[in-house]
Amino acid sequence: MDHPPHARPLRWAAAAAVAVLLFAALAALLAGHDWAPYGFEQDAGTWSAAHRPSAARAAAVVITSLGSGPVPYLLALAAGAVAVRSLPAPRPARRAAPLLLAPVVWLIAGQLVRSGLMQVFARPRPPQADWATGATGFSFPSGHSFTSAVCAGLLALAVARARPAAAKGAAAGAVLVAAAVGLSRVYLGVHWPLDVLGGWLLAAGWLALATVALPRVSPDRPS
């Protein structure tokens, strides 16, 4: 059954609150463990280091690149372009410009939040001897996991609003991208598994907030 339009922001706000609470609980769990890796995290790192043939490592490096550099911002810009194209012609610049740039601005804001949290938590990364790619900064939450999930999610949201029939496919694609990038970080030895989970939870909350904070992205709402 469809929910009335006025109930949608409340549902998304509730989803954001749940994701943030789960993220906070995970952070508290790690803090109570002195930010050290749990046994299963160490096991995952050991297994990854022992199962890295050159072809698999090369593929993982390509996949992990989707979570950094220009790619996430291009995907966020694509989300804005989808929203703009869904507007009926003629498309006034005063409405098209905010629609185009809102996902990019939201991604940048999320990066600032995520980076600030990383500095506060300061969880050490896995031993550098196990790294199969470069990495900088602290470990929790995973920046690549957060970034890939947010940019893919923003694009999926834009597609779902422009073409509701494509919503499930867009959501599945976003989940696949986020999962692949997050798992690649563990496989390449630069993050612990709970770092990735933290990145996903923070991204889920940030995406849910986007549906409330950026209502103009939806083409069926007045500007």
Side-chain angles (χ1 to χ4, degrees):
M1 181 177 65
D2 290 337
H3 293 268
H6 66 271
R8 292 172 188 166
L10 293 177
R11 290 191 297 120
W12 283 114
V18 170
V20 170
L21 286 173
L22 289 174
F23 174 82
L26 178 60
L29 188 68
L30 288 171
H33 202 246
D34 292 328
W35 300 104
Y38 283 87
F40 74 92
E41 292 187 287
Q42 293 178 321
D43 291 343
T46 300
W47 184 93
S48 297
H51 295 83
R52 282 200 204 116
S54 58
R57 177 189 174 279
V61 169
V62 171
I63 291 170
T64 211
S65 68
L66 299 177
S68 65
V71 173
Y73 298 94
L74 291 175
L75 289 178
L77 191 62
V82 169
V84 170
R85 285 184 61 83
S86 70
L87 289 174
R91 303 179 180 96
R94 65 181 178 83
R95 188 176 183 196
L99 281 174
L100 179 64
L101 297 177
V104 176
V105 172
W106 193 250
L107 176 59
I108 292 172
Q111 295 284 44
L112 294 175
V113 171
R114 186 267 308 165
S115 179
L117 289 172
M118 289 182 77
Q119 295 299 318
V120 169
F121 297 140
R123 189 188 196 195
R125 287 185 182 269
Q128 193 167 357
D130 293 336
W131 294 7
T133 190
T136 58
F138 295 110
S139 200
F140 179 86
S142 166
H144 281 66
S145 301
F146 172 84
T147 305
S148 60
V150 170
C151 68
L154 288 171
L155 181 56
L157 286 171
V159 170
R161 285 169 166 174
R163 296 184 60 189
K168 290 184 179 179
V175 169
L176 180 62
V177 169
V181 173
L183 293 176
S184 75
R185 303 305 286 168
V186 177
Y187 183 69
L188 292 170
V190 292
H191 276 292
W192 302 113
L194 291 182
D195 301 333
V196 172
L197 178 58
W200 287 339
L201 288 173
L202 188 62
W206 198 246
L207 284 171
L209 283 176
T211 66
V212 179
L214 305 176
R216 290 183 300 172
V217 171
S218 177
D220 60 356
R221 296 185 182 184
S223 59

